[in-house]
Amino acid sequence: MEQVKVWLNEKDIPRQWYNLGADLPTPMLPPLGPDGKPIGPEMLAPVFPMNLIEQEVSTERWIDIPEEILNILYRWRPAPLRRAVFLEKFLDTPAKIYYKDESTSPPGSHKPNTSVPQAWYNKQFGIEKLTTETGAGQWGSALAFACQLIGLKCKVYMVRISFDQKPFRKIMMQTWGANCIASPSDQTNAGRKILAETPDTPGSLGIAISEAIEEAVTDTSGKTRYSLGSVLNHVMLHQTIIGLEAKKQMKMIGAGTPDVIIGCAGGGSNFAGLSFPYVADKINGADIRIIPVEPTACPTMTRAPFAYDFGDTACTTPLLAMHTLGHAFVPPPIHAGGLRYHGMAPMVCQAIIEGLMEPRAYHQLASYEAAVTWARTEGFIPAPETSQALAAVIDEAKKAKEEGKEKVILFNYSGHGLMDLLGYDAYLSGKLTDYELPEEELQKYTKELEKLPKAEVRKTGKW
Amino acid sequence: MEQVKVWLNEKDIPRQWYNLGADLPTPMLPPLGPDGKPIGPEMLAPVFPMNLIEQEVSTERWIDIPEEILNILYRWRPAPLRRAVFLEKFLDTPAKIYYKDESTSPPGSHKPNTSVPQAWYNKQFGIEKLTTETGAGQWGSALAFACQLIGLKCKVYMVRISFDQKPFRKIMMQTWGANCIASPSDQTNAGRKILAETPDTPGSLGIAISEAIEEAVTDTSGKTRYSLGSVLNHVMLHQTIIGLEAKKQMKMIGAGTPDVIIGCAGGGSNFAGLSFPYVADKINGADIRIIPVEPTACPTMTRAPFAYDFGDTACTTPLLAMHTLGHAFVPPPIHAGGLRYHGMAPMVCQAIIEGLMEPRAYHQLASYEAAVTWARTEGFIPAPETSQALAAVIDEAKKAKEEGKEKVILFNYSGHGLMDLLGYDAYLSGKLTDYELPEEELQKYTKELEKLPKAEVRKTGKW
């Protein structure tokens, strides 16, 4: 029997985060203000504390992780590296399938890797309350968890359709002492405006972001800030602890450098967390294929243009250069999983443009099929988001069999699906259908981007 | 910072289970048949496969764990030993609080420690299908999980009130390929009879057991057997891997022998799993207090008589000598957690009679208060059952502070609460009230026991 779990001792936890920004072959395009000009750090100050803004714009390669943050992460980190020997056997593949198990955190996903540092830096900066948005609830519960442990108030605007359909995530947040309300709400101008126009709206992440930011910037005490669970540079930074741990663990068992790295990508953070430390190796010549996976229902990386766009529906954020379906994009309700954000982390996008990554999209039926295969071989029930990655993992393992090649696959098991079982019910009872965003829908939303400053595509052409 | 997680490598997993039956100072009373006479193993043959019956009646101290079973357990075992440093700090206690984290299994509790061996032995015996009952759903999902991995069909009778209130557990079982239906059902004589008498019954574990056993024994192919998740000797046996791992882990970090061992007890299996290897030490002179904890709503160990009783409502099982509230006992719906079975593992009962254990009961408000304290300090959300143990742990840690004594507490974190968040919602919104089984209710149900053979209380008086 092969060893299936690789532990890393607490004392061996990485003590620095890795900043891909220091190594990207071409620098990223700067965020733009409402006037179309690059913004300075001070323009973000009403939204984020300055210590996090410094991380957001940092070009340092390594950034120290404060000991107090590590002391909180120890509750579940270092996370196990596991090998999927039972799936390998089922697929009869020569591929070795390793994964970082990020489902072991108290909120059940990789999200607290950044919610904890974000809450901690805010607290250090004198902030007393954080606001945020959440879709399926992974991020909201991760921030609620972090704020509870660090001693901050927490207010979560949860997309209405999820608020109604997933009461358990709300209870989780309340158990950790947070205030969770449905978005759009009557507590912000942005929310009231949308409710007046479309009282029955299911809500969207873009709307919820607008509300959360509004609450933060309009608090006259100056003691409230906003927190984002993905997309931004400092979020990617915090998540790199995943890949840095994985490298140590792969080394411990002599598993070498992976041939393929896979992660699902909605805003990009869990994928970036695992892959960025390996992207650095690839920049330096390592032969690694790096595959971010998204749903065909929300095909940001595979079909959307690279453009400047707002991060939220109400157009209150700075403009970010990224692959985007347009800030007005509303994901189809037919899609059962997460990964519904209209944009993608600019740092991931720049790596894609450089050719360092090979994005791929899967239908939801394929991803649920992969999820059930996983549950019935490995035993654990994955999050619907994670299942997108699993679909690609299984395809790569099958390809290895066809080619008769030994291959090392490493992927990120970003979270468990215990809070998302209704999607499994829909799949198992045949109620789910495939969905691919129609071209006319794509055109409709992305057409709006032409009114915004154009993003220049810059690449070295080396990869 | 103290180390908070202690891993045991897969190669160091215990390779034998421990049978307390070999060391109990006075032998247990035998199960009785309908004629009031001790039954032989052959009478259990329609219900269980002979290889498990042999374990049920075994007096061997150590029983080898087949390698194939270990290969399945490796998915999550050895389970981590953890130290609750954050709770210790919050309580400002000199006590050191360790726990075995049994929440890391795919179904989220200790239950698969026995569902996997049970499914495996049945498969070895040529059985093709297992039936069982489940209350809150922990056991049903654990058996569904095991049957899926081992290749058996699985049918779960789920107590109707839980079936209706906890659809997620049902989906979990279906994801693992099991057939889960509400009990009482129209698929058995026992179910039809009860439905005819009380069509609106919420069901009970006793009823569901009757249905599951009926389906097994009436399958004329002889290829169906029944599986029980607690109470019986062989279940306690399989769970001892918890305590055997704990001993190795406590030794690894030089934490010595615990002063106090705590576990919640419904049928007794998670408590037995952790404590029995230490009970052996206590029998041999070690100074350990061993505390099983139950709810005041279902006070089997603390208030019920020691008597012969049926394991199910329909009086189809052999009579077992145990603390019992009477087989007709219907637990009050007011109680939010599990631990609602009318009886208690005979082996645990005999250890209580010997004075080797100090059972204790808690109100549900106290246990939920402990659960929320845990979630807000340690970060993880415990199962309502586990919270009963937590209430006792916190009391013992506070006592250590009052007495100014260093004390090592070890308890079993039997499962997570992610599938049971409605109870937290009820608690946080002030809808839960305390409940203590009224004396007249206790008398009503236990009066029936006078019609059955009397159980002789036998003890050495040494503890």
Side-chain angles (χ1 to χ4, degrees):
Chain A
M1 182 71 184
E2 300 279 350
Q3 185 181 358
V4 301
K5 301 181 292 295
V6 183
W7 307 118
L8 192 66
N9 287 324
E10 286 155 28
K11 64 180 177 48
D12 297 323
I13 200 167
R15 294 179 177 273
Q16 295 183 308
W17 291 300
Y18 169 66
N19 179 10
L20 179 64
D23 288 324
L24 272 175
T26 41
M28 292 162 63
L29 294 178
L32 305 182
D35 57 359
K37 290 184 181 155
I39 58 165
E42 70 291 349
M43 287 191 65
L44 294 169
V47 183
F48 301 110
M50 196 49 74
N51 46 13
L52 283 176
I53 295 171
E54 282 164 14
Q55 290 189 350
E56 182 65 20
V57 301
S58 171
T59 53
E60 292 292 313
R61 181 170 291 117
W62 296 101
I63 293 176
D64 289 344
I65 309 177
E67 195 67 25
E68 286 182 47
I69 290 177
L70 290 175
N71 283 347
I72 296 172
L73 298 184
Y74 287 145
R75 281 178 173 79
W76 74 98
R77 299 209 79 85
L81 176 81
R82 299 171 61 105
R83 179 161 165 209
V85 290
F86 311 101
L87 178 67
E88 288 171 19
K89 200 176 161 192
F90 173 77
L91 296 174
D92 188 24
T93 175
K96 289 181 182 173
I97 304 173
Y98 295 93
Y99 62 103
K100 273 298 274 190
D101 186 358
E102 292 295 317
S103 74
T104 65
S105 71
S109 79
H110 66 292
K111 295 285 188 186
N113 296 335
T114 186
S115 69
V116 167
Q118 287 194 48
W120 189 84
Y121 283 109
N122 271 283
K123 176 93 175 179
Q124 288 291 108
F125 196 69
I127 300 304
E128 293 171 2
K129 179 181 181 179
L130 286 178
T131 65
T132 197
E133 75 293 332
T134 199
Q138 277 194 349
W139 170 243
S141 49
L143 192 68
F145 163 79
C147 285
Q148 173 63 47
L149 298 186
I150 283 163
L152 293 176
K153 280 181 245 170
C154 181
K155 169 94 161 271
V156 181
Y157 289 88
M158 186 169 186
V159 177
R160 172 164 292 285
I161 189 166
S162 297
F163 186 89
D164 292 340
Q165 289 179 354
K166 300 193 167 183
F168 284 9
R169 279 284 179 190
K170 176 185 64 185
I171 302 170
M172 234 175 151
M173 296 180 223
Q174 288 166 340
T175 301
W176 285 316
N179 179 11
C180 172
I181 65 168
S183 164
S185 76
D186 61 3
Q187 301 191 9
T188 66
N189 287 328
R192 283 186 292 266
K193 181 158 176 283
I194 286 163
L195 280 180
E197 289 163 5
T198 49
D200 295 333
T201 177
S204 75
L205 267 183
I207 296 169
I209 294 175
S210 300
E211 290 200 88
I213 294 180
E214 181 182 328
E215 177 171 344
V217 301
T218 55
D219 176 0
T220 50
S221 79
K223 299 286 190 189
T224 301
R225 289 294 184 281
Y226 165 75
S227 175
L228 188 65
S230 194
V231 178
L232 299 179
N233 301 342
H234 67 277
V235 179
M236 306 298 124
L237 177 78
H238 299 156
Q239 292 291 356
T240 58
I241 195 167
I242 302 171
L244 296 167
E245 284 181 6
K247 279 190 162 185
K248 289 190 172 203
Q249 288 161 312
M250 292 290 278
K251 198 172 168 188
M252 271 171 71
I253 55 167
T257 301
D259 300 294
V260 189
I261 289 174
I262 296 170
C264 64
S269 76
N270 95 73
F271 165 73
L274 178 66
S275 68
F276 279 8
Y278 287 102
V279 173
D281 295 344
K282 182 160 180 167
I283 291 172
N284 290 320
D287 183 17
I288 314 174
R289 292 172 54 223
I290 300 175
I291 305 175
V293 185
E294 67 185 4
T296 54
C298 188
T300 315
M301 297 176 291
T302 52
R303 291 176 60 201
F306 180 72
Y308 268 113
D309 194 9
F310 295 102
D312 69 329
T313 306
C315 307
T316 59
T317 73
L319 292 166
L320 299 174
M322 58 186 176
H323 287 287
T324 172
L325 292 160
H327 54 269
F329 176 74
V330 177
I334 198 174
H335 175 52
L339 313 177
R340 302 157 73 105
Y341 185 60
H342 68 272
M344 178 56 62
M347 213 176 255
V348 169
C349 294
Q350 184 57 37
I352 291 171
I353 287 172
E354 277 288 4
L356 290 160
M357 295 169 180
E358 310 165 28
R360 194 183 289 184
Y362 280 93
H363 283 278
Q364 66 176 349
L365 287 184
S367 77
Y368 270 103
E369 190 189 341
V372 171
T373 298
W374 183 268
R376 292 182 179 181
T377 54
E378 289 294 316
F380 292 90
I381 297 177
E385 299 79 16
T386 310
S387 308
Q388 296 275 342
L390 287 173
V393 167
I394 290 174
D395 273 357
E396 289 294 320
K398 285 181 176 169
K399 215 172 70 181
K401 186 183 178 184
E402 283 161 22
E403 297 170 352
K405 262 197 221 168
E406 280 206 21
K407 181 156 71 173
V408 174
I409 300 171
L410 172 65
F411 79 99
N412 202 20
Y413 191 83
S414 57
H416 65 63
L418 300 185
M419 315 299 289
D420 308 279
L421 287 167
L422 290 178
Y424 280 85
D425 192 35
Y427 171 72
L428 291 169
S429 54
K431 285 179 204 142
L432 285 191
T433 51
D434 271 339
Y435 181 86
E436 197 151 331
L437 187 68
E439 187 61 25
E440 58 274 20
E441 283 276 299
L442 180 73
Q443 295 299 334
K444 183 180 83 179
Y445 289 115
T446 54
K447 198 156 173 284
E448 295 298 306
L449 297 170
E450 291 167 17
K451 300 174 188 164
L452 299 171
K454 201 166 142 53
E456 176 198 358
V457 174
R458 305 192 284 198
K459 56 178 166 183
T460 61
K462 283 190 196 162
W463 291 274
Chain B
M1 182 71 183
E2 300 280 349
Q3 186 182 358
V4 301
K5 300 181 292 297
V6 183
W7 308 117
L8 192 66
N9 287 324
E10 285 154 28
K11 65 178 173 53
D12 297 322
I13 200 168
R15 292 177 178 273
Q16 295 181 308
W17 291 300
Y18 169 67
N19 178 11
L20 180 63
D23 288 324
L24 273 176
T26 41
M28 292 164 61
L29 294 177
L32 304 182
D35 58 358
K37 289 182 182 157
I39 58 165
E42 72 289 349
M43 288 192 64
L44 293 169
V47 184
F48 300 110
M50 197 49 74
N51 47 13
L52 283 176
I53 296 171
E54 282 165 14
Q55 289 189 350
E56 182 66 18
V57 300
S58 172
T59 53
E60 292 293 312
R61 181 170 290 118
W62 296 100
I63 294 176
D64 287 346
I65 309 177
E67 195 68 23
E68 287 181 47
I69 290 176
L70 290 175
N71 283 347
I72 296 173
L73 299 184
Y74 287 145
R75 282 177 173 80
W76 74 100
R77 303 210 75 86
L81 176 81
R82 300 173 59 107
R83 180 162 164 207
V85 290
F86 311 101
L87 178 67
E88 288 172 17
K89 199 175 161 192
F90 173 78
L91 296 174
D92 188 25
T93 175
K96 290 181 181 174
I97 304 173
Y98 295 95
Y99 64 103
K100 274 298 274 187
D101 186 357
E102 293 294 319
S103 74
T104 65
S105 72
S109 78
H110 66 291
K111 294 286 188 186
N113 296 335
T114 186
S115 70
V116 168
Q118 287 194 48
W120 189 85
Y121 282 109
N122 271 282
K123 177 94 174 178
Q124 289 291 108
F125 196 70
I127 300 305
E128 293 172 3
K129 179 180 181 180
L130 287 178
T131 64
T132 197
E133 75 292 332
T134 198
Q138 278 193 348
W139 170 243
S141 49
L143 191 67
F145 163 79
C147 286
Q148 173 62 47
L149 298 186
I150 283 164
L152 292 176
K153 280 181 246 168
C154 181
K155 169 94 161 273
V156 180
Y157 289 89
M158 186 168 185
V159 176
R160 171 163 293 286
I161 189 166
S162 297
F163 186 89
D164 293 339
Q165 290 179 354
K166 300 195 168 181
F168 284 10
R169 279 283 179 191
K170 176 185 61 187
I171 301 169
M172 233 175 152
M173 296 180 223
Q174 289 166 342
T175 301
W176 285 317
N179 178 12
C180 172
I181 65 169
S183 164
S185 76
D186 60 4
Q187 301 190 10
T188 64
N189 288 328
R192 283 187 292 269
K193 181 160 177 284
I194 286 163
L195 281 179
E197 289 164 3
T198 50
D200 295 334
T201 176
S204 75
L205 266 184
I207 296 168
I209 294 175
S210 299
E211 289 201 88
I213 293 182
E214 182 182 326
E215 178 171 345
V217 300
T218 56
D219 176 0
T220 51
S221 78
K223 299 286 189 190
T224 301
R225 290 292 184 281
Y226 164 75
S227 174
L228 188 66
S230 194
V231 180
L232 298 179
N233 301 342
H234 67 277
V235 179
M236 306 297 124
L237 177 78
H238 300 156
Q239 292 292 356
T240 58
I241 195 167
I242 302 171
L244 295 168
E245 284 181 7
K247 278 189 163 183
K248 288 190 172 202
Q249 289 161 310
M250 293 289 278
K251 197 171 169 187
M252 273 172 70
I253 53 167
T257 301
D259 299 295
V260 187
I261 289 175
I262 295 170
C264 65
S269 77
N270 95 73
F271 164 73
L274 177 66
S275 68
F276 278 9
Y278 288 102
V279 174
D281 295 345
K282 183 160 177 167
I283 291 172
N284 290 320
D287 183 18
I288 314 174
R289 291 171 55 220
I290 300 175
I291 305 174
V293 185
E294 68 185 5
T296 53
C298 189
T300 315
M301 297 177 291
T302 52
R303 291 176 60 202
F306 180 72
Y308 268 114
D309 195 9
F310 295 102
D312 69 328
T313 305
C315 306
T316 60
T317 73
L319 293 166
L320 299 174
M322 58 187 177
H323 287 285
T324 173
L325 292 160
H327 55 268
F329 176 73
V330 177
I334 196 174
H335 177 54
L339 313 180
R340 301 155 73 106
Y341 186 61
H342 68 273
M344 177 56 60
M347 215 178 255
V348 169
C349 294
Q350 184 57 36
I352 291 171
I353 288 172
E354 277 287 4
L356 289 160
M357 295 169 177
E358 310 166 28
R360 194 184 287 185
Y362 280 93
H363 282 277
Q364 67 176 348
L365 287 183
S367 78
Y368 270 103
E369 188 189 342
V372 171
T373 298
W374 182 269
R376 293 183 178 181
T377 53
E378 290 293 318
F380 292 90
I381 298 178
E385 297 80 11
T386 311
S387 308
Q388 296 274 342
L390 287 173
V393 167
I394 291 174
D395 274 357
E396 289 294 320
K398 284 181 177 169
K399 214 172 72 180
K401 185 181 178 186
E402 283 161 21
E403 297 170 352
K405 264 197 220 167
E406 281 206 21
K407 179 158 71 173
V408 174
I409 300 170
L410 172 64
F411 78 99
N412 201 21
Y413 190 82
S414 57
H416 64 62
L418 300 184
M419 314 299 287
D420 307 279
L421 287 166
L422 290 177
Y424 281 85
D425 192 35
Y427 171 72
L428 291 168
S429 55
K431 284 179 203 142
L432 286 192
T433 50
D434 272 338
Y435 181 86
E436 196 151 331
L437 187 68
E439 187 60 26
E440 58 274 21
E441 282 277 300
L442 181 73
Q443 294 301 334
K444 184 181 82 180
Y445 289 114
T446 54
K447 200 157 172 287
E448 295 298 306
L449 298 170
E450 292 167 16
K451 300 172 190 166
L452 300 171
K454 202 168 143 53
E456 176 201 357
V457 174
R458 305 193 285 196
K459 56 179 165 180
T460 61
K462 283 191 196 162
W463 291 274

